[in-house]
mmCIF file of all heavy atoms in Angstrom:
data_model
loop_
_atom_site.group_PDB
_atom_site.id
_atom_site.type_symbol
_atom_site.label_atom_id
_atom_site.label_comp_id
_atom_site.label_asym_id
_atom_site.label_seq_id
_atom_site.Cartn_x
_atom_site.Cartn_y
_atom_site.Cartn_z
ATOM 1 N N CYS A 783 -29.735 -36.837 -69.641
ATOM 2 C CA CYS A 783 -29.992 -35.742 -68.715
ATOM 3 C C CYS A 783 -31.235 -34.974 -69.168
ATOM 4 O O CYS A 783 -31.339 -34.586 -70.334
ATOM 5 C CB CYS A 783 -28.795 -34.795 -68.664
ATOM 6 S SG CYS A 783 -27.211 -35.607 -68.326
ATOM 7 N N PHE A 784 -32.158 -34.730 -68.233
ATOM 8 C CA PHE A 784 -33.433 -34.100 -68.576
ATOM 9 C C PHE A 784 -33.772 -32.988 -67.589
ATOM 10 O O PHE A 784 -33.496 -33.107 -66.394
ATOM 11 C CB PHE A 784 -34.572 -35.125 -68.524
ATOM 12 C CG PHE A 784 -34.374 -36.333 -69.388
ATOM 13 C CD1 PHE A 784 -33.826 -37.493 -68.859
ATOM 14 C CD2 PHE A 784 -34.737 -36.323 -70.728
ATOM 15 C CE1 PHE A 784 -33.649 -38.624 -69.644
ATOM 16 C CE2 PHE A 784 -34.563 -37.442 -71.525
ATOM 17 C CZ PHE A 784 -34.015 -38.590 -70.979
ATOM 18 N N HIS A 785 -34.403 -31.933 -68.107
ATOM 19 C CA HIS A 785 -35.092 -30.970 -67.251
ATOM 20 C C HIS A 785 -36.402 -30.598 -67.938
ATOM 21 O O HIS A 785 -36.588 -30.843 -69.136
ATOM 22 C CB HIS A 785 -34.230 -29.735 -66.953
ATOM 23 C CG HIS A 785 -33.928 -28.867 -68.141
ATOM 24 N ND1 HIS A 785 -34.828 -27.977 -68.657
ATOM 25 C CD2 HIS A 785 -32.817 -28.761 -68.906
ATOM 26 C CE1 HIS A 785 -34.290 -27.340 -69.693
ATOM 27 N NE2 HIS A 785 -33.066 -27.804 -69.868
ATOM 28 N N SER A 786 -37.309 -30.024 -67.184
ATOM 29 C CA SER A 786 -38.608 -29.652 -67.734
ATOM 30 C C SER A 786 -38.450 -28.524 -68.743
ATOM 31 O O SER A 786 -37.692 -27.573 -68.516
ATOM 32 C CB SER A 786 -39.547 -29.186 -66.612
ATOM 33 O OG SER A 786 -39.759 -30.225 -65.687
ATOM 34 N N VAL A 787 -39.153 -28.642 -69.865
ATOM 35 C CA VAL A 787 -39.178 -27.615 -70.902
ATOM 36 C C VAL A 787 -40.642 -27.311 -71.200
ATOM 37 O O VAL A 787 -41.400 -28.224 -71.553
ATOM 38 C CB VAL A 787 -38.458 -28.080 -72.187
ATOM 39 C CG1 VAL A 787 -38.583 -27.033 -73.285
ATOM 40 C CG2 VAL A 787 -36.999 -28.391 -71.893
ATOM 41 N N ASP A 788 -41.044 -26.065 -71.048
ATOM 42 C CA ASP A 788 -42.438 -25.674 -71.212
ATOM 43 C C ASP A 788 -42.989 -26.151 -72.554
ATOM 44 O O ASP A 788 -42.420 -25.877 -73.610
ATOM 45 C CB ASP A 788 -42.547 -24.147 -71.100
ATOM 46 C CG ASP A 788 -43.987 -23.669 -71.056
ATOM 47 O OD1 ASP A 788 -44.837 -24.417 -70.553
ATOM 48 O OD2 ASP A 788 -44.250 -22.551 -71.528
ATOM 49 N N GLY A 789 -44.076 -26.915 -72.495
ATOM 50 C CA GLY A 789 -44.723 -27.396 -73.704
ATOM 51 C C GLY A 789 -44.080 -28.611 -74.336
ATOM 52 O O GLY A 789 -44.559 -29.106 -75.360
ATOM 53 N N TYR A 790 -42.995 -29.126 -73.742
ATOM 54 C CA TYR A 790 -42.271 -30.249 -74.342
ATOM 55 C C TYR A 790 -42.079 -31.416 -73.375
ATOM 56 O O TYR A 790 -42.360 -32.560 -73.704
ATOM 57 C CB TYR A 790 -40.914 -29.777 -74.858
ATOM 58 C CG TYR A 790 -40.090 -30.872 -75.472
ATOM 59 C CD1 TYR A 790 -40.355 -31.320 -76.764
ATOM 60 C CD2 TYR A 790 -39.061 -31.487 -74.766
ATOM 61 C CE1 TYR A 790 -39.618 -32.345 -77.334
ATOM 62 C CE2 TYR A 790 -38.319 -32.514 -75.323
ATOM 63 C CZ TYR A 790 -38.591 -32.936 -76.610
ATOM 64 O OH TYR A 790 -37.863 -33.958 -77.157
ATOM 65 N N SER A 791 -41.569 -31.129 -72.180
ATOM 66 C CA SER A 791 -41.290 -32.194 -71.211
ATOM 67 C C SER A 791 -41.562 -31.700 -69.800
ATOM 68 O O SER A 791 -41.515 -30.500 -69.526
ATOM 69 C CB SER A 791 -39.833 -32.660 -71.316
ATOM 70 O OG SER A 791 -38.943 -31.592 -71.022
ATOM 71 N N LYS A 792 -41.834 -32.643 -68.914
ATOM 72 C CA LYS A 792 -42.072 -32.315 -67.515
ATOM 73 C C LYS A 792 -41.482 -33.401 -66.643
ATOM 74 O O LYS A 792 -41.775 -34.590 -66.817
ATOM 75 C CB LYS A 792 -43.574 -32.178 -67.253
ATOM 76 C CG LYS A 792 -43.940 -31.880 -65.816
ATOM 77 C CD LYS A 792 -43.543 -30.476 -65.416
ATOM 78 C CE LYS A 792 -44.062 -30.157 -64.006
ATOM 79 N NZ LYS A 792 -43.575 -28.842 -63.543
ATOM 80 N N VAL A 793 -40.627 -33.003 -65.705
ATOM 81 C CA VAL A 793 -40.070 -33.895 -64.693
ATOM 82 C C VAL A 793 -40.697 -33.481 -63.371
ATOM 83 O O VAL A 793 -40.623 -32.305 -62.994
ATOM 84 C CB VAL A 793 -38.535 -33.777 -64.621
ATOM 85 C CG1 VAL A 793 -37.987 -34.704 -63.549
ATOM 86 C CG2 VAL A 793 -37.900 -34.076 -65.977
ATOM 87 N N GLY A 794 -41.336 -34.409 -62.676
ATOM 88 C CA GLY A 794 -42.007 -34.010 -61.448
ATOM 89 C C GLY A 794 -42.374 -35.187 -60.572
ATOM 90 O O GLY A 794 -41.931 -36.316 -60.775
ATOM 91 N N SER A 795 -43.212 -34.897 -59.597
ATOM 92 C CA SER A 795 -43.693 -35.919 -58.674
ATOM 93 C C SER A 795 -45.134 -35.604 -58.304
ATOM 94 O O SER A 795 -45.608 -34.471 -58.481
ATOM 95 C CB SER A 795 -42.824 -35.968 -57.415
ATOM 96 O OG SER A 795 -42.908 -34.752 -56.696
ATOM 97 N N TYR A 796 -45.829 -36.613 -57.818
ATOM 98 C CA TYR A 796 -47.188 -36.426 -57.324
ATOM 99 C C TYR A 796 -47.433 -37.374 -56.159
ATOM 100 O O TYR A 796 -46.669 -38.312 -55.933
ATOM 101 C CB TYR A 796 -48.226 -36.648 -58.435
ATOM 102 C CG TYR A 796 -48.314 -38.066 -58.969
ATOM 103 C CD1 TYR A 796 -49.163 -39.011 -58.392
ATOM 104 C CD2 TYR A 796 -47.549 -38.462 -60.068
ATOM 105 C CE1 TYR A 796 -49.247 -40.304 -58.885
ATOM 106 C CE2 TYR A 796 -47.639 -39.756 -60.564
ATOM 107 C CZ TYR A 796 -48.487 -40.664 -59.966
ATOM 108 O OH TYR A 796 -48.565 -41.950 -60.453
ATOM 109 N N THR A 797 -48.494 -37.109 -55.422
ATOM 110 C CA THR A 797 -48.887 -37.953 -54.297
ATOM 111 C C THR A 797 -50.174 -38.679 -54.650
ATOM 112 O O THR A 797 -51.141 -38.060 -55.106
ATOM 113 C CB THR A 797 -49.097 -37.107 -53.028
ATOM 114 O OG1 THR A 797 -47.881 -36.414 -52.726
ATOM 115 C CG2 THR A 797 -49.475 -37.985 -51.837
ATOM 116 N N GLY A 798 -50.196 -39.985 -54.463
ATOM 117 C CA GLY A 798 -51.377 -40.772 -54.768
ATOM 118 C C GLY A 798 -52.500 -40.521 -53.772
ATOM 119 O O GLY A 798 -52.248 -40.094 -52.641
ATOM 120 N N ASN A 799 -53.748 -40.808 -54.200
ATOM 121 C CA ASN A 799 -54.883 -40.662 -53.287
ATOM 122 C C ASN A 799 -55.615 -41.976 -53.030
ATOM 123 O O ASN A 799 -56.580 -42.015 -52.272
ATOM 124 C CB ASN A 799 -55.857 -39.587 -53.780
ATOM 125 C CG ASN A 799 -56.592 -39.972 -55.055
ATOM 126 O OD1 ASN A 799 -56.483 -41.100 -55.545
ATOM 127 N ND2 ASN A 799 -57.339 -39.031 -55.607
ATOM 128 N N GLY A 800 -55.166 -43.062 -53.662
ATOM 129 C CA GLY A 800 -55.754 -44.369 -53.402
ATOM 130 C C GLY A 800 -57.198 -44.501 -53.803
ATOM 131 O O GLY A 800 -57.919 -45.355 -53.290
ATOM 132 N N ASN A 801 -57.640 -43.694 -54.774
ATOM 133 C CA ASN A 801 -59.049 -43.633 -55.138
ATOM 134 C C ASN A 801 -59.194 -43.895 -56.632
ATOM 135 O O ASN A 801 -58.328 -43.540 -57.419
ATOM 136 C CB ASN A 801 -59.586 -42.238 -54.781
ATOM 137 C CG ASN A 801 -61.083 -42.168 -54.802
ATOM 138 O OD1 ASN A 801 -61.703 -42.359 -55.849
ATOM 139 N ND2 ASN A 801 -61.679 -41.897 -53.656
ATOM 140 N N ALA A 802 -60.310 -44.501 -57.033
ATOM 141 C CA ALA A 802 -60.560 -44.711 -58.457
ATOM 142 C C ALA A 802 -60.710 -43.389 -59.202
ATOM 143 O O ALA A 802 -60.443 -43.314 -60.400
ATOM 144 C CB ALA A 802 -61.811 -45.563 -58.657
ATOM 145 N N ASP A 803 -61.149 -42.343 -58.508
ATOM 146 C CA ASP A 803 -61.111 -40.979 -59.043
ATOM 147 C C ASP A 803 -59.758 -40.415 -58.649
ATOM 148 O O ASP A 803 -59.626 -39.656 -57.702
ATOM 149 C CB ASP A 803 -62.256 -40.141 -58.468
ATOM 150 C CG ASP A 803 -62.301 -38.743 -59.056
ATOM 151 O OD1 ASP A 803 -61.669 -38.522 -60.111
ATOM 152 O OD2 ASP A 803 -62.932 -37.871 -58.445
ATOM 153 N N GLY A 804 -58.733 -40.817 -59.387
ATOM 154 C CA GLY A 804 -57.356 -40.639 -58.949
ATOM 155 C C GLY A 804 -56.802 -39.236 -59.086
ATOM 156 O O GLY A 804 -57.457 -38.312 -59.546
ATOM 157 N N THR A 805 -55.562 -39.127 -58.702
ATOM 158 C CA THR A 805 -54.829 -37.873 -58.755
ATOM 159 C C THR A 805 -54.726 -37.368 -60.191
ATOM 160 O O THR A 805 -54.514 -38.148 -61.122
ATOM 161 C CB THR A 805 -53.415 -38.084 -58.175
ATOM 162 O OG1 THR A 805 -53.530 -38.514 -56.815
ATOM 163 C CG2 THR A 805 -52.581 -36.824 -58.250
ATOM 164 N N PHE A 806 -54.883 -36.053 -60.363
ATOM 165 C CA PHE A 806 -54.603 -35.408 -61.650
ATOM 166 C C PHE A 806 -53.222 -34.788 -61.574
ATOM 167 O O PHE A 806 -52.888 -34.109 -60.598
ATOM 168 C CB PHE A 806 -55.638 -34.324 -61.968
ATOM 169 C CG PHE A 806 -55.234 -33.445 -63.125
ATOM 170 C CD1 PHE A 806 -55.275 -33.941 -64.423
ATOM 171 C CD2 PHE A 806 -54.781 -32.156 -62.914
ATOM 172 C CE1 PHE A 806 -54.867 -33.149 -65.494
ATOM 173 C CE2 PHE A 806 -54.387 -31.354 -63.972
ATOM 174 C CZ PHE A 806 -54.433 -31.851 -65.265
ATOM 175 N N VAL A 807 -52.406 -35.027 -62.602
ATOM 176 C CA VAL A 807 -51.042 -34.494 -62.645
ATOM 177 C C VAL A 807 -50.948 -33.502 -63.793
ATOM 178 O O VAL A 807 -51.108 -33.873 -64.965
ATOM 179 C CB VAL A 807 -50.007 -35.627 -62.819
ATOM 180 C CG1 VAL A 807 -48.594 -35.051 -62.803
ATOM 181 C CG2 VAL A 807 -50.181 -36.678 -61.731
ATOM 182 N N HIS A 808 -50.694 -32.246 -63.477
ATOM 183 C CA HIS A 808 -50.648 -31.179 -64.478
ATOM 184 C C HIS A 808 -49.257 -31.115 -65.112
ATOM 185 O O HIS A 808 -48.257 -30.961 -64.410
ATOM 186 C CB HIS A 808 -50.978 -29.836 -63.828
ATOM 187 C CG HIS A 808 -51.054 -28.710 -64.800
ATOM 188 N ND1 HIS A 808 -50.000 -27.852 -65.017
ATOM 189 C CD2 HIS A 808 -52.050 -28.320 -65.635
ATOM 190 C CE1 HIS A 808 -50.346 -26.966 -65.932
ATOM 191 N NE2 HIS A 808 -51.587 -27.233 -66.325
ATOM 192 N N THR A 809 -49.205 -31.249 -66.429
ATOM 193 C CA THR A 809 -47.934 -31.151 -67.147
ATOM 194 C C THR A 809 -47.860 -29.913 -68.036
ATOM 195 O O THR A 809 -46.797 -29.575 -68.524
ATOM 196 C CB THR A 809 -47.710 -32.387 -68.034
ATOM 197 O OG1 THR A 809 -48.768 -32.466 -68.993
ATOM 198 C CG2 THR A 809 -47.658 -33.660 -67.206
ATOM 199 N N SER A 810 -48.995 -29.279 -68.296
ATOM 200 C CA SER A 810 -49.172 -28.116 -69.184
ATOM 201 C C SER A 810 -49.197 -28.509 -70.658
ATOM 202 O O SER A 810 -49.192 -27.639 -71.525
ATOM 203 C CB SER A 810 -48.125 -27.020 -68.939
ATOM 204 O OG SER A 810 -46.885 -27.318 -69.552
ATOM 205 N N PHE A 811 -49.229 -29.803 -70.965
ATOM 206 C CA PHE A 811 -49.329 -30.266 -72.356
ATOM 207 C C PHE A 811 -50.014 -31.632 -72.371
ATOM 208 O O PHE A 811 -50.145 -32.293 -71.342
ATOM 209 C CB PHE A 811 -47.960 -30.363 -73.024
ATOM 210 C CG PHE A 811 -46.939 -31.178 -72.252
ATOM 211 C CD1 PHE A 811 -46.990 -32.564 -72.220
ATOM 212 C CD2 PHE A 811 -45.919 -30.541 -71.561
ATOM 213 C CE1 PHE A 811 -46.052 -33.313 -71.521
ATOM 214 C CE2 PHE A 811 -44.980 -31.276 -70.849
ATOM 215 C CZ PHE A 811 -45.048 -32.660 -70.829
ATOM 216 N N ALA A 812 -50.460 -32.047 -73.561
ATOM 217 C CA ALA A 812 -51.019 -33.388 -73.739
ATOM 218 C C ALA A 812 -49.857 -34.383 -73.828
ATOM 219 O O ALA A 812 -49.039 -34.296 -74.742
ATOM 220 C CB ALA A 812 -51.855 -33.449 -75.011
ATOM 221 N N PRO A 813 -49.755 -35.306 -72.893
ATOM 222 C CA PRO A 813 -48.622 -36.240 -72.916
ATOM 223 C C PRO A 813 -48.716 -37.259 -74.052
ATOM 224 O O PRO A 813 -49.797 -37.696 -74.419
ATOM 225 C CB PRO A 813 -48.716 -36.955 -71.562
ATOM 226 C CG PRO A 813 -49.677 -36.169 -70.737
ATOM 227 C CD PRO A 813 -50.593 -35.498 -71.711
ATOM 228 N N ALA A 814 -47.551 -37.628 -74.560
ATOM 229 C CA ALA A 814 -47.439 -38.762 -75.472
ATOM 230 C C ALA A 814 -46.841 -39.960 -74.756
ATOM 231 O O ALA A 814 -47.081 -41.109 -75.142
ATOM 232 C CB ALA A 814 -46.573 -38.412 -76.669
ATOM 233 N N TYR A 815 -46.073 -39.696 -73.705
ATOM 234 C CA TYR A 815 -45.308 -40.734 -73.002
ATOM 235 C C TYR A 815 -45.133 -40.312 -71.555
ATOM 236 O O TYR A 815 -44.778 -39.158 -71.281
ATOM 237 C CB TYR A 815 -43.948 -40.888 -73.679
ATOM 238 C CG TYR A 815 -42.956 -41.798 -72.987
ATOM 239 C CD1 TYR A 815 -42.798 -43.115 -73.397
ATOM 240 C CD2 TYR A 815 -42.163 -41.334 -71.942
ATOM 241 C CE1 TYR A 815 -41.874 -43.952 -72.779
ATOM 242 C CE2 TYR A 815 -41.235 -42.169 -71.316
ATOM 243 C CZ TYR A 815 -41.102 -43.473 -71.738
ATOM 244 O OH TYR A 815 -40.193 -44.301 -71.133
ATOM 245 N N VAL A 816 -45.401 -41.237 -70.636
ATOM 246 C CA VAL A 816 -45.168 -40.992 -69.214
ATOM 247 C C VAL A 816 -44.483 -42.215 -68.621
ATOM 248 O O VAL A 816 -44.937 -43.347 -68.802
ATOM 249 C CB VAL A 816 -46.474 -40.717 -68.443
ATOM 250 C CG1 VAL A 816 -46.199 -40.594 -66.944
ATOM 251 C CG2 VAL A 816 -47.164 -39.457 -68.959
ATOM 252 N N LEU A 817 -43.377 -41.981 -67.921
ATOM 253 C CA LEU A 817 -42.671 -43.005 -67.166
ATOM 254 C C LEU A 817 -42.791 -42.626 -65.695
ATOM 255 O O LEU A 817 -42.444 -41.498 -65.320
ATOM 256 C CB LEU A 817 -41.194 -43.055 -67.578
ATOM 257 C CG LEU A 817 -40.256 -43.917 -66.735
ATOM 258 C CD1 LEU A 817 -40.583 -45.396 -66.877
ATOM 259 C CD2 LEU A 817 -38.806 -43.654 -67.130
ATOM 260 N N SER A 818 -43.301 -43.544 -64.853
ATOM 261 C CA SER A 818 -43.493 -43.218 -63.443
ATOM 262 C C SER A 818 -43.022 -44.355 -62.546
ATOM 263 O O SER A 818 -42.906 -45.504 -62.986
ATOM 264 C CB SER A 818 -44.964 -42.894 -63.153
ATOM 265 O OG SER A 818 -45.779 -44.033 -63.365
ATOM 266 N N LYS A 819 -42.795 -44.009 -61.269
ATOM 267 C CA LYS A 819 -42.298 -45.004 -60.297
ATOM 268 C C LYS A 819 -42.691 -44.588 -58.889
ATOM 269 O O LYS A 819 -42.537 -43.431 -58.515
ATOM 270 C CB LYS A 819 -40.767 -45.085 -60.402
ATOM 271 C CG LYS A 819 -40.072 -45.893 -59.300
ATOM 272 C CD LYS A 819 -40.186 -47.374 -59.560
ATOM 273 C CE LYS A 819 -39.263 -48.205 -58.661
ATOM 274 N NZ LYS A 819 -39.757 -48.334 -57.279
ATOM 275 N N ARG A 820 -43.215 -45.533 -58.129
ATOM 276 C CA ARG A 820 -43.470 -45.285 -56.705
ATOM 277 C C ARG A 820 -42.135 -45.267 -55.975
ATOM 278 O O ARG A 820 -41.308 -46.162 -56.131
ATOM 279 C CB ARG A 820 -44.393 -46.355 -56.126
ATOM 280 C CG ARG A 820 -44.711 -46.108 -54.659
ATOM 281 C CD ARG A 820 -45.975 -46.780 -54.174
ATOM 282 N NE ARG A 820 -46.020 -48.211 -54.313
ATOM 283 C CZ ARG A 820 -46.715 -49.005 -53.481
ATOM 284 N NH1 ARG A 820 -47.401 -48.493 -52.468
ATOM 285 N NH2 ARG A 820 -46.751 -50.293 -53.686
ATOM 286 N N VAL A 821 -41.903 -44.252 -55.157
ATOM 287 C CA VAL A 821 -40.586 -44.029 -54.553
ATOM 288 C C VAL A 821 -40.336 -44.835 -53.282
ATOM 289 O O VAL A 821 -39.273 -45.430 -53.132
ATOM 290 C CB VAL A 821 -40.377 -42.515 -54.279
ATOM 291 C CG1 VAL A 821 -39.101 -42.271 -53.497
ATOM 292 C CG2 VAL A 821 -40.355 -41.744 -55.586
ATOM 293 N N PRO A 822 -41.273 -44.876 -52.311
ATOM 294 C CA PRO A 822 -40.886 -45.415 -51.003
ATOM 295 C C PRO A 822 -40.873 -46.932 -50.883
ATOM 296 O O PRO A 822 -40.437 -47.451 -49.856
ATOM 297 C CB PRO A 822 -41.944 -44.816 -50.054
ATOM 298 C CG PRO A 822 -43.139 -44.610 -50.916
ATOM 299 C CD PRO A 822 -42.617 -44.292 -52.280
#
């Protein structure tokens, strides 16, 4: 079970832009690990 913790973890979503200059996803920290999945 996870929830976002400031400076430690972030659970969220983003929308892709289909561009090589891709979407920026703000987590408020430097990530060490990211797990992602396209939903639809």
